[in-house]
Amino acid sequence: MSLNNIWIRRQQCPCGDWKCYIRFEGDESSCLVTKSELDSSTTTTTTTATDDEAFEYYSAFARKSGFSIRKARSTESQNLGVYRRDFVCYRSGFNQPRKKANVEHPRERKSVRCGCDAKLYLTKEVVDGVTHWFVSQFSNVHNHELLEDDQVRLLPAYRKIRQSDQDRILLLSKAGFPVNRIVKLLELEKGVQPGQLPFIEKDVRNFVRACKKSVQENDAFLSEKRESDTLELLESCKALAERDMDFAYDCTSDENQKVENLAWAFGDSIGAYSLFGDVVVFDTTYRSIPYGLLLGVFFGIDNHGKAILLGCVLLQDETCLSFTWALQTFVRFMRGRHPQTILTDMDTGLKDAIAREMPNTHHVVFMWHIVSKLASWFSQTLGSHYDEFRAGFEMFCRAGNIDEFEQQWNLLVTRFGLVPDRHADLLYSCRASWSPCYIREHFVAQTMTPEFNLSIDSFLKRIVAGPTCMQLLLEEVSAAASLAKQIPPRFTYPSLKTCMPMEDQARGILTPYAFSVLQNELVLSVQYAVSEMANGPYIVHHFKKMEGECCVIWNPENEEIQCSCKEFEHSGILCRHTLRVLTVKNCFLIPEQYFLLRWRQESPHVAAENQNGQGIGDDCAQTFHSLTETLLTESMICKDRLDYANQELSLLIDRVRNVAPANCLYQP
């Protein structure tokens, strides 16, 4: 028997305080019926579709009125099954005397039952083949006082601990927090007055006691199953490697030879990385509950704007050491080539690992990961001012340059009293990784668009959607990758909109996805005015908006053009400002170097295979291998040589990547 594997979103906050956690959308939804909702409801319903629906309705009515209910007698028959349900007031009937335990001082508990006659009886009937439950008896006459709203919520029937609160309580309990401190911490986190939680300290104590007993009983079994299931997953990797020579995998083990970390990459993923490995997304959103493993998935973006799987890792923890191993293994799978840019969530351990293992790679944090954490970080601190803070945050994220960002940041944190604040300090310390004005010169292709984020999210949900056993994870990832490949590109070539020669030129070179992005910039470019400065640059601004102007430099001799907005450096597609200047200067065609290989219609590595049969000849490969061995030997003599070689190789790879196929050495 295998464990059902359930994936949840990581909740640990990147601020480093283990007591701090991230609440995702839906965590704070209340499971209680509010008084206003009840006031708008009716109490005249006499028929329901199910008895459970009637119970929920009567329970809501009872809470509003100041009491709770319980299920009493039910009657069933062979033909109809259960055909009568009796719901009564929680104080209905009388307590039956129990046989006292053989102890010196037995506990005497006073019963709350006092023979109350409030009730709701239901009877089931089948009319025209449809089942209905009818109210056969109803009485709202009580022989006891009804409770006020602040008292009725403390009745056992209404004291519920939601799943998100259960997870938080268990985390604090494992860390050694006593129950009374756990309750106080939850009150602080939720911003409620003491005693206003939907449960009391006794409920927390009982929950912790029950969980500890369950854990003690199941720990041995779970540990054994985790080990066996993970070993089966490793054996699946070994079997696949025997069938597919291009499949790569690796793992680490502890002192007892138990699998700690596991990584793998499919052969076609390694091939795709040779072309689309300039930008890598490393997603670490999900963690397995029963196995305690973090799922890390490496993605790329192809020339059609689709997410492509590059590799997967399972990590035992979220430390810098584990992330370092993951990055080292991934780079080794990809033949030692580092990406230009890697995009991740905000995580200090991962940040340190990237700085250590990929010193020449730009690290970018997705903006939507930052925005998703703002409510957890600041809503409680700022209270009613949070929405205003959120609007101010989004506004200064549009700062045009670093100086403007720094100025607006200081104004924002001072205005809302966030000096000092550990989360504000964390955001500021990592600003070079997420602020648009800092990362504008980093190449990210089109990975920061909402469409690409949705494609990654849909891929991950195919893997984590339902409970499955760990040893099938390899098959699930493979199936999800195959399904993603079968999905046709979202874009087809749109019709020409400008009748400009450069639009027709781009349509014949770029994929439909890349062309649609460029075409949009081309259409918008006609709304911009161009002013030529005396010393050569061009100032480009929107005809209605004088602010936000851009500076474009055009060198007609070598056909090089640059814009201060850095859009080409950021996405690999020319911006509206440069296209406008080219048009004004009567350049009817876009210079060839501004059609990056990664956005072209045919993948260059596929074309090379078609042209060269087996690819590069054995003699050339041997010569190249000899050169790399010599370079490695000379570079390892001292650290200065190694650093210099790394720097120059990174530059060389960038140059080689942008060499057009027509200029390659090997021709048919």
Side-chain angles (χ1 to χ4, degrees):
M1 183 178 67
S2 300
L3 294 177
N4 278 338
N5 189 21
I6 301 175
W7 301 95
I8 61 170
R9 289 181 177 271
R10 294 170 63 196
Q11 290 186 304
Q12 188 63 47
C13 179
C15 71
D17 184 355
W18 65 269
K19 299 187 295 297
C20 184
Y21 72 114
I22 302 300
R23 296 184 297 273
F24 292 95
E25 184 178 353
D27 282 354
E28 295 302 311
S29 59
S30 175
C31 62
L32 303 177
V33 180
T34 64
K35 191 174 188 305
S36 60
E37 289 171 336
L38 287 169
D39 289 340
S40 62
S41 66
T42 176
T43 59
T44 60
T45 302
T46 60
T47 179
T48 60
T50 66
D51 55 334
D52 289 334
E53 180 182 328
F55 182 82
E56 291 298 325
Y57 185 87
Y58 189 30
S59 180
F61 169 79
R63 173 156 188 163
K64 176 186 176 183
S65 302
F67 66 101
S68 66
I69 63 172
R70 57 183 172 85
K71 295 180 180 179
R73 182 180 58 176
S74 64
T75 310
E76 61 180 306
S77 69
Q78 187 173 3
N79 295 330
L80 291 176
V82 176
Y83 66 89
R84 173 172 171 169
R85 287 284 193 192
D86 294 354
F87 305 140
V88 298
C89 173
Y90 78 112
R91 303 194 68 175
S92 173
F94 295 95
N95 192 40
Q96 299 296 324
R98 297 182 181 180
K99 184 179 180 180
K100 295 185 179 180
N102 188 20
V103 294
E104 184 176 353
H105 300 288
R107 298 173 61 185
E108 294 289 344
R109 292 184 178 179
K110 185 178 179 180
S111 174
V112 299
R113 298 191 181 185
C114 61
C116 180
D117 196 41
K119 60 194 174 187
L120 177 71
Y121 291 172
L122 299 177
T123 302
K124 182 170 71 175
E125 294 184 14
V126 179
V127 180
D128 296 330
V130 180
T131 300
H132 295 278
W133 287 87
F134 294 90
V135 176
S136 57
Q137 291 187 51
F138 172 71
S139 172
N140 197 33
V141 179
H142 299 264
N143 64 352
H144 57 87
E145 291 185 1
L146 299 178
L147 304 178
E148 297 295 333
D149 187 60
D150 61 337
Q151 296 173 314
V152 72
R153 68 180 185 82
L154 298 177
L155 292 176
Y158 305 126
R159 301 202 309 260
K160 306 294 183 183
I161 303 179
R162 293 174 299 180
Q163 184 62 47
S164 58
D165 292 330
Q166 291 180 12
D167 296 339
R168 187 69 175 145
I169 290 169
L170 286 178
L171 175 65
L172 295 172
S173 178
K174 289 178 182 178
F177 272 56
V179 171
N180 61 334
R181 289 187 62 191
I182 291 176
V183 172
K184 290 181 180 179
L185 185 58
L186 289 174
E187 289 171 345
L188 290 173
E189 290 177 346
K190 294 178 178 296
V192 300
Q193 295 296 321
Q196 295 301 308
L197 290 172
F199 46 84
I200 61 176
E201 185 175 316
K202 177 183 176 181
D203 301 322
V204 177
R205 196 176 305 278
N206 291 339
F207 172 71
V208 171
R209 184 184 297 115
C211 287
K212 285 183 177 179
K213 181 180 179 182
S214 176
V215 168
Q216 290 172 355
E217 293 175 349
N218 293 306
D219 257 358
F221 170 76
L222 291 176
S223 178
E224 180 182 349
K225 291 306 297 178
R226 288 191 197 104
E227 181 181 354
S228 62
D229 289 353
T230 309
L231 282 175
E232 285 191 35
L233 178 60
L234 178 60
E235 291 300 321
S236 298
C237 290
K238 292 179 180 178
L240 183 56
E242 292 177 358
R243 300 193 304 269
D244 183 0
M245 297 299 294
D246 294 326
F247 177 78
Y249 75 95
D250 196 7
C251 68
T252 63
S253 304
D254 60 14
E255 62 276 7
N256 297 320
Q257 300 304 308
K258 295 181 179 179
V259 176
E260 290 182 321
N261 305 311
L262 178 63
W264 68 90
F266 298 100
D268 53 355
S269 297
I270 299 173
Y273 185 85
S274 64
L275 178 63
F276 304 118
D278 45 9
V279 179
V280 170
V281 175
F282 185 32
D283 188 280
T284 55
T285 301
Y286 292 97
R287 168 176 287 280
S288 168
I289 294 179
Y291 295 93
L293 296 174
L294 178 70
L295 174 65
V297 185
F298 292 93
F299 291 100
I301 180 171
D302 68 6
N303 52 347
H304 295 283
K306 293 170 54 179
I308 53 175
L309 176 69
L310 298 177
C312 291
V313 294
L314 288 171
L315 303 177
Q316 63 170 342
D317 53 41
E318 302 168 25
T319 62
C320 178
L321 185 63
S322 293
F323 284 129
T324 297
W325 179 84
L327 296 174
Q328 288 176 343
T329 306
F330 176 74
V331 170
R332 188 170 71 254
F333 287 168
M334 302 303 157
R335 310 293 190 257
R337 176 185 165 191
H338 291 204
Q340 291 183 45
T341 307
I342 184 168
L343 296 96
T344 71
D345 194 354
M346 180 180 285
D347 187 289
T348 53
L350 182 54
K351 175 186 174 184
D352 293 340
I354 292 173
R356 178 184 303 176
E357 295 302 318
M358 299 179 173
N360 298 319
T361 296
H362 299 300
H363 181 204
V364 173
V365 174
F366 280 114
M367 176 57 74
W368 54 74
H369 284 310
I370 299 291
V371 173
S372 68
K373 296 176 175 61
L374 292 180
S376 296
W377 286 345
F378 302 113
S379 61
Q380 181 179 324
T381 303
L382 300 177
S384 59
H385 297 290
Y386 170 72
D387 291 338
E388 189 179 355
F389 166 81
R390 172 73 177 266
F393 180 87
E394 293 177 351
M395 181 176 297
F396 89 80
C397 282
R398 295 192 288 269
N401 54 65
I402 294 176
D403 291 337
E404 183 181 350
F405 171 88
E406 297 286 342
Q407 181 182 6
Q408 292 190 16
W409 173 267
N410 292 330
L411 292 174
L412 188 71
V413 295
T414 302
R415 175 185 174 189
F416 291 97
L418 297 176
V419 182
D421 180 274
R422 72 173 184 272
H423 295 125
D425 293 342
L426 174 65
L427 276 175
Y428 185 74
S429 66
C430 299
R431 64 192 183 282
S433 298
W434 61 266
S435 176
C437 62
Y438 279 93
I439 66 174
R440 198 61 191 166
E441 295 186 17
H442 302 338
F443 182 69
V444 299
Q446 292 287 318
T447 55
M448 301 192 76
T449 62
E451 295 79 13
F452 184 76
N453 179 39
L454 288 174
S455 67
I456 286 183
D457 191 54
S458 62
F459 184 99
L460 292 173
K461 285 181 177 178
R462 296 188 198 111
I463 302 174
V464 304
T468 54
C469 49
M470 179 61 76
Q471 58 265 46
L472 296 179
L473 181 62
L474 186 66
E475 298 178 14
E476 292 169 348
V477 173
S478 177
S482 299
L483 181 61
K485 293 175 187 175
Q486 295 171 9
I487 298 176
R490 294 179 291 111
F491 289 88
T492 57
Y493 282 113
S495 58
L496 299 179
K497 298 178 180 179
T498 67
C499 297
M500 298 170 65
M502 63 177 65
E503 182 185 15
D504 188 52
Q505 174 201 17
R507 194 178 191 276
I509 297 176
L510 300 176
T511 62
Y513 172 78
F515 173 70
S516 66
V517 177
L518 180 67
Q519 185 187 53
N520 183 62
E521 294 295 313
L522 197 57
V523 169
L524 294 175
S525 69
V526 298
Q527 301 179 16
Y528 285 77
V530 178
S531 302
E532 185 173 0
M533 307 300 291
N535 55 351
Y538 300 86
I539 302 301
V540 183
H541 63 84
H542 194 270
F543 78 103
K544 285 186 178 180
K545 305 172 185 177
M546 297 306 296
E547 73 279 0
E549 61 186 17
C550 291
C551 178
V552 177
I553 300 176
W554 163 241
N555 187 340
E557 295 181 359
N558 53 14
E559 295 188 320
E560 291 184 354
I561 193 165
Q562 293 180 330
C563 181
S564 60
C565 78
K566 303 295 182 182
E567 178 61 31
F568 181 76
E569 291 82 355
H570 194 61
S571 68
I573 296 177
L574 286 177
C575 64
R576 62 199 67 174
H577 315 111
T578 54
L579 293 171
R580 183 58 176 163
V581 170
L582 289 175
T583 303
V584 169
K585 300 305 293 182
N586 294 324
C587 295
F588 297 102
L589 298 178
I590 297 174
E592 187 73 17
Q593 66 265 32
Y594 294 105
F595 294 112
L596 295 188
L597 298 182
R598 68 144 21 260
W599 294 128
R600 297 191 178 218
Q601 295 173 4
E602 185 178 14
S603 300
H605 73 283
V606 174
E609 289 179 0
N610 293 337
Q611 292 173 358
N612 302 315
Q614 298 299 321
I616 299 176
D618 293 339
D619 292 341
C620 294
Q622 186 174 356
T623 301
F624 188 80
H625 183 66
S626 176
L627 287 172
T628 56
E629 284 188 342
T630 303
L631 177 62
L632 179 62
T633 302
E634 294 294 332
S635 300
M636 294 299 291
I637 293 177
C638 66
K639 187 176 184 302
D640 289 341
R641 286 191 177 188
L642 184 60
D643 292 342
Y644 177 78
N646 278 333
Q647 181 179 357
E648 293 299 316
L649 281 174
S650 297
L651 296 174
L652 179 61
I653 290 172
D654 291 340
R655 293 170 187 161
V656 171
R657 184 185 297 128
N658 289 315
V659 174
N663 298 327
C664 288
L665 176 63
Y666 300 97
Q667 298 292 338

